[in-house]
């Protein structure tokens, strides 16, 4: 019955770290289980509150839910900014293994849900491991460098900046990306930004970057999710908000679709795309989750159970 579920604090080991999080199980045996993987930065088990309503809805629909603090966040050990995408994928696989070990969770119906950057992590984990399915939520089909360039361009134009100023911001960002590819240190990267004058529209990208964050960005910026999409051996649900200002939605759909049409892709790796018109990066309209979003999640998961 709805509401007959419980949540408890858990800890589990991953490669070189101990991760802490919340495990929610419905009353009786679950029809499925899902690991929620948070987005960029120091995301915790609630992903800045975003996962709370998703967790509750899934639990009431009979789906067990595990979410965890990223390395070095909350009660988890380690440092996320020292991690690679493979490290983060290993953490997601460790979480999936822990979830599958729970007696209430059917092993054959446990999958991964990754939001934003967490979608890249979930795809890498799914390509390496064997989840029953994978859901990417507002996950770009392009590299982090391309995604951030799109977000900066969109933000600069939305602010009413003259096209020359937009071009200047994008050119400065491109210089930073190239500097990262050359392996320059944080001091040199800071000099590039400082000599260009006030960061303007670049501020949203650069203001929170420190030396550790710069090293993480350099490692991550050219991560391509498409090879992982090509290696999938399970169904993939790709969800987008149609008004997402951070992700090139149309390009991402095209790229994931191209991967799904590849003749060498495993026959089990179907692709379902769901776009919620007018919804933002968190698939919200007017500050709340888009109508039909939560039922879409549960219906798709139940259909595979």
């Amino acid at each position: 019955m709805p509401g007959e579920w419980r949540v408890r604090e858990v800890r589990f080991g991953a490669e070189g770290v101990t991760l802490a999080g919340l495990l929610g199980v419905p009353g009786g045996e679950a029809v499925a289980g899902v690991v929620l993987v948070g987005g960029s930065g120091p995301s915790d088990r609630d992903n800045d509150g975003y996962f709370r309503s998703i967790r509750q809805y899934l639990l009431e629909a009979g789906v067990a839910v595990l979410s965890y603090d990223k390395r070095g966040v909350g009660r988890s050990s380690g440092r996320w900014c020292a991690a690679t995408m493979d490290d983060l994928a290993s953490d997601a696989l460790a979480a999936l293994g822990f979830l599958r070990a729970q007696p209430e969770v059917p092993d054959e119906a446990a999958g991964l849900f990754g939001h934003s950057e967490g979608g890249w992590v979930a795809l890498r984990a799914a390509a390496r491991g064997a989840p029953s399915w994978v859901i990417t939520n507002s996950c770009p089909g392009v590299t982090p460098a391309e995604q951030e360039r799109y977000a900066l361009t969109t933000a600069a134009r939305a602010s009413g900046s003259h096209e020359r100023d937009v071009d200047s911001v994008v050119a400065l960002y491109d210089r930073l990306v190239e500097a990262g590819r050359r392996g320059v240190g944080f001091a040199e990267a800071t000099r590039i930004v400082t000599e260009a004058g006030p960061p303007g529209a670049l501020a949203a990208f650069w203001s929170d970057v420190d030396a550790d964050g710069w090293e993480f960005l350099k490692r991550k910026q050219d991560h391509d999710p498409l090879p992982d999409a090509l290696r999938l051996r399970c169904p993939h649900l790709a969800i987008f908000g149609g008004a997402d200002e951070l992700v090139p939605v149309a390009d991402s759909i095209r790229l994931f679709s191209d991967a799904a049409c590849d003749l060498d892709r495993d026959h089990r790796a179907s692709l379902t795309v769901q776009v919620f018109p007018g919804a933002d990066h968190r698939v919200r309209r007017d500050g709340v989750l888009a109508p039909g979003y939560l039922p879409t999640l549960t219906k798709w998961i139940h259909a595979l159970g």
Side-chain angles (χ1 to χ4, degrees), residues 61-91:
V63 180
V65 181
L66 173 61
S67 61
Y68 57 94
D69 301 329
K70 188 182 283 189
R71 294 176 175 222
V73 179
R75 298 179 182 178
S76 291
S77 66
R79 296 171 59 239
W80 67 267
C81 54
T84 64
M85 199 65 72
D86 280 327
D87 293 330
L88 298 178
S90 294
D91 294 348

Side-chain angles (χ1 to χ4, degrees), residues 149 152-174 196 198-203:
R149 192 179 197 273
L152 279 170
T153 303
T154 302
R157 287 177 175 155
S159 70
S161 297
H162 191 281
E163 198 62 27
R164 286 197 308 272
D165 296 326
V166 174
D167 291 344
S168 295
V169 169
V170 173
L172 174 56
Y173 173 75
D174 289 344
L202 191 71

Side-chain angles (χ1 to χ4, degrees), residues 207-293:
S207 60
D208 293 331
V209 178
D210 57 14
D212 287 338
W214 173 243
E215 293 302 315
F216 181 77
L217 287 173
K218 288 195 295 184
R219 287 193 300 275
K220 172 180 126 173
Q221 66 179 15
D222 289 320
H223 171 77
D224 185 354
L226 295 185
D228 292 331
L230 287 168
R231 291 196 296 269
L232 289 180
R233 300 180 301 281
C234 65
H236 174 198
L237 170 62
I239 296 177
F240 297 96
D244 190 338
E245 296 182 347
L246 304 182
V247 173
V249 173
D251 287 344
S252 296
I253 292 171
R254 176 181 55 80
L255 290 165
F256 284 139
S257 297
D258 286 348
C261 294
D262 190 282
L263 294 177
D264 293 328
R265 184 147 132 156
D266 192 285
H267 70 278
R268 294 165 291 183
S270 60
L271 172 66
T272 303
V273 176
Q274 184 74 48
V275 179
F276 290 88
D280 65 11
H281 188 60
R282 290 195 165 192
V283 203
R284 300 171 302 189
R285 293 185 63 175
D286 300 321
V288 297
L289 289 171
Y293 170 75

Side-chain angles (χ1 to χ4, degrees), residues 99-216:
L99 179 66
R100 280 178 159 160
Q102 305 309 307
E104 306 93 338
V105 179
D107 179 72
E108 72 283 359
L112 298 167
F113 170 106
H115 173 65
S116 194
E117 179 195 279
W120 289 324
V121 173
L123 287 173
R124 172 58 54 90
R128 287 173 43 190
S132 302
W133 38 264
V134 61
I135 299 172
T136 58
N137 194 73
S138 301
C139 172
V142 298
T143 67
E146 293 173 280
Q147 176 267 316
E148 196 64 56
R149 192 179 197 273
Y150 173 86
L152 279 170
T153 303
T154 302
R157 287 177 175 155
S159 70
S161 297
H162 191 281
E163 198 62 27
R164 286 197 308 272
D165 296 326
V166 174
D167 291 344
S168 295
V169 169
V170 173
L172 174 56
Y173 173 75
D174 289 344
R175 287 184 62 197
L176 283 173
V177 170
E178 288 303 318
R181 289 174 181 149
R182 297 197 311 272
V184 306
F186 180 62
E188 174 64 12
T190 301
R191 185 193 64 77
I192 292 172
V193 174
T194 302
E195 289 185 352
L202 191 71
F205 168 77
W206 189 252
S207 60
D208 293 331
V209 178
D210 57 14
D212 287 338
W214 173 243
E215 293 302 315
F216 181 77

